[in-house]
Amino acid sequence: MIRLDDEIDGRREELIAAVQRLVRIRSVADEEADGKPYGKGVADCLDEALKMCREMGFETVNMDYRCGWCEYGGGEEMVAVLGHLDVVPEGEGWDFPPYDAVLSDGKIFGRGTIDDKGPAAASLIALKAIKEAGIPLKRRVRLIFGCSEETGALDMDHYLENGGEIPVMGFTPDAEYPLINGEKGIVVETYEKPLSADGDYSIIGIRGGMAWNITPAHAEAVIKTPEDFRPDDLPEKVKAERRDGAWVISAEGKAVHAQHPEQGENAIGRLFKYLCTLPFSGDTADAIGFIADKIGMDTTGALLGCDLYDEISGHTSLNMGVCEADGRKISVTLNYRYPVTHEYEECQPVVEREFRDRGWKRVYDMHKPKLYIPEDAGLVKSLLSVYREYTGDMSAPRSIGGGTYAKAVPNILAFGPVFPGDEVVEHMPNEFISVDRLMENAKIIAAAIVMLAGE
Ligand SMILES: [Zn+2]
């Protein structure tokens, strides 16, 4: 393995300065303006990154301010290192100004330091070290700077749709070490069904959940009932109160990320489990019964028939994230994630058929296919061997339920920048990267590039 540790140790100040130049530009996505699809801040940051590349002697391309790259080396095939320059809004609670990139106690503080400007700058310094050391490469190396990772990764869709070259292999330092070689397929769908308001019991309104990717912590239904209705025998975590001549039934749950819904409790499911004990009629009874019986508090899709399983990534995870109804219609938004060795075709048609057979229509859908590169593949072995050489940590690569930036471009995996056990600071106030970790990342990235692209 070729290590460039001395080359990189000599560039410590240069790397700190590069991170600071990027962090000092507030690159939060904004409205399109003047041909800058993600706003001025993101575009300015891309300009700055490409300027740094040129200062180091690399050729650059700006693809419509959606992404840009620099390239080094020759050869038919290309190895990509994918980072991103956009950041999430700074939010509240900072001890340092979020865009000053203050160096304090061996750490650089600021929005984007770990996610993902620090790793992007480390990649650049790594490539410069490779160039200055004159390491021969048989493949070209392209450092891609994406500009909308935090807002749906449409930057890379644009890249692929406009003839952006597909790497033969590569990695994105935008998640964690040792390596993520499996990411579940992610499906989001909204189904809708008309309701009729006849019968003694009817729905006036239902509202539950905040987003498809969070287990709902609260849900409530406002229902019309006969005068003598009294809600007794309420189950645990379900409450009823009289409001404006109607009953409000509310249920509590526990919010967690939808990649591990089994750790939460679904308030919408809990609410419907109770509602289905009331004597609704017609369409309303059917809709309530369907949600209670086919989804309820289930988190694997077993009741809907979409529970798939493999040893690598476990069961399908199902989250009913949002439910809304007025007197005339009801809608539910589901997020289900299928295991990495299974296919969309094995689960989606089953789910849609269940809904359709009961009068529901799909009104929204999104699918991010699964990603899986087996442990015995060359890319996985190469990246792991570099990580292991540097850290001595023999942990196995991981499969996860979440999606990383690696899904945005074929043939790449998420590799770094966060080490096992390190504090999770991305998207938080006081986001930071320690200079030591930054340097370790630059060294690992340099060795990984040489491993993938070197002769
Ligand atoms: Zn990121």
Side-chain angles (χ1 to χ4, degrees):
M1 180 174 305
I2 296 177
R3 296 177 61 144
L4 291 153
D5 300 0
D6 293 344
E7 284 283 337
I8 287 170
D9 280 330
R11 300 180 188 282
R12 193 179 178 95
E13 298 309 315
E14 193 183 354
L15 177 51
I16 293 169
V19 176
Q20 288 176 325
R21 277 172 72 173
L22 297 177
V23 171
R24 286 175 181 157
I25 299 169
R26 183 178 185 275
S27 52
V28 175
D30 202 349
E31 296 291 297
E32 157 148 31
D34 306 325
K36 293 165 177 173
Y38 311 121
K40 183 175 185 305
V42 178
D44 286 351
C45 195
L46 179 61
D47 280 336
E48 186 72 7
L50 296 180
K51 189 169 162 229
M52 290 197 301
C53 296
R54 288 190 297 272
E55 288 166 7
M56 294 181 189
F58 299 120
E59 302 276 318
T60 63
V61 174
N62 178 342
M63 191 186 243
D64 310 316
Y65 280 109
R66 291 186 186 269
C67 65
W69 61 87
C70 73
E71 207 170 89
Y72 173 67
E76 275 294 297
E77 295 180 332
M78 180 266 282
V79 167
V81 183
L82 174 65
H84 67 91
L85 299 174
D86 59 315
V87 295
V88 296
E90 62 282 2
E92 309 272 315
W94 288 78
D95 298 324
F96 298 92
Y99 300 103
D100 281 7
V102 172
L103 182 60
S104 170
D105 194 23
K107 299 167 180 166
I108 311 173
F109 288 87
R111 176 57 81 230
T113 45
I114 188 84
D115 181 19
D116 189 48
K117 293 173 175 180
S123 310
L124 187 50
I125 294 297
L127 192 60
K128 188 179 182 189
I130 291 168
K131 176 169 163 260
E132 308 275 297
I135 308 286
L137 301 179
K138 65 170 188 266
R139 296 184 170 119
R140 283 171 293 125
V141 180
R142 182 177 289 193
L143 305 187
I144 305 177
F145 304 101
C147 291
S148 80
E149 191 278 335
E150 302 291 1
T151 50
L154 299 178
D155 48 357
M156 290 299 110
D157 287 351
H158 182 84
Y159 175 86
L160 296 172
E161 283 159 12
N162 289 275
E165 184 179 347
I166 296 175
V168 292
M169 60 180 90
F171 58 92
T172 175
D174 188 35
E176 60 190 42
Y177 292 115
L179 178 67
I180 295 169
N181 69 323
E183 302 179 19
K184 281 180 171 175
I186 301 180
V187 184
V188 183
E189 295 179 322
T190 302
Y191 289 93
E192 199 176 274
K193 178 184 160 82
L195 290 180
S196 45
D198 48 357
D200 292 339
Y201 289 77
S202 61
I203 300 288
I204 297 170
I206 295 177
R207 172 80 222 166
M210 310 283 287
W212 58 263
N213 57 0
I214 302 170
T215 303
H218 182 82
E220 62 180 49
V222 185
I223 58 173
K224 183 174 86 69
T225 64
E227 269 305 312
D228 61 353
F229 170 72
R230 291 294 172 274
D232 16 79
D233 292 334
L234 288 170
E236 214 188 324
K237 301 189 185 176
V238 177
K239 286 201 297 246
E241 68 175 294
R242 199 77 175 138
R243 196 191 294 163
D244 304 330
W247 283 98
V248 179
I249 313 291
S250 59
E252 300 309 315
K254 183 180 165 205
V256 294
H257 195 277
Q259 63 183 286
H260 37 67
E262 70 285 356
Q263 296 173 14
E265 292 173 24
N266 196 308
I268 299 171
R270 180 167 278 146
L271 176 68
F272 277 80
K273 283 292 202 193
Y274 173 70
L275 292 178
C276 80
T277 66
L278 303 179
F280 289 97
S281 57
D283 281 344
T284 304
D286 193 63
I288 290 170
F290 178 77
I291 292 181
D293 297 342
K294 290 289 181 177
I295 305 171
M297 309 277 288
D298 177 30
T299 58
T300 66
L303 302 173
L304 273 172
C306 67
D307 181 15
L308 301 168
Y309 174 83
D310 64 34
E311 278 200 6
I312 300 161
S313 56
H315 288 271
T316 298
S317 38
L318 170 69
N319 180 48
M320 172 163 55
V322 181
C323 176
E324 285 173 336
D326 55 24
R328 291 188 309 278
K329 65 175 193 303
I330 181 166
S331 70
V332 289
T333 299
L334 302 181
N335 170 215
Y336 51 99
R337 298 163 186 246
Y338 56 92
V340 298
T341 61
H342 287 275
E343 301 298 331
Y344 178 73
E345 289 71 23
E346 294 174 71
C347 51
Q348 195 283 329
V350 179
V351 173
E352 187 168 3
R353 193 179 325 115
E354 288 282 350
F355 274 90
R356 213 177 39 222
D357 287 353
R358 297 283 287 270
W360 297 72
K361 201 171 80 189
R362 191 173 68 160
V363 295
Y364 172 79
D365 69 285
M366 186 274 273
H367 174 219
K368 286 201 176 187
K370 59 89 181 284
L371 176 165
Y372 179 57
I373 300 185
E375 275 193 52
D376 57 4
L379 177 61
V380 175
K381 286 205 250 180
S382 297
L383 294 176
L384 265 188
S385 69
V386 173
Y387 171 79
R388 286 174 175 174
E389 157 113 3
Y390 271 88
T391 63
D393 170 18
M394 301 303 282
S395 308
R398 296 212 308 133
S399 274
I400 62 167
T404 79
Y405 208 19
K407 271 192 181 166
V409 173
N411 307 325
I412 72 169
L413 292 175
F415 180 58
V418 178
F419 290 80
D422 279 4
E423 198 183 335
V424 174
V425 295
E426 81 247 21
H427 300 196
M428 309 280 276
N430 298 325
E431 178 180 343
F432 71 86
I433 191 165
S434 88
V435 176
D436 288 343
R437 286 303 201 205
L438 186 62
M439 292 294 289
E440 285 176 278
N441 268 292
K443 290 172 187 175
I444 289 175
I445 290 169
I449 291 173
V450 174
M451 178 80 91
L452 301 182
E455 281 180 351

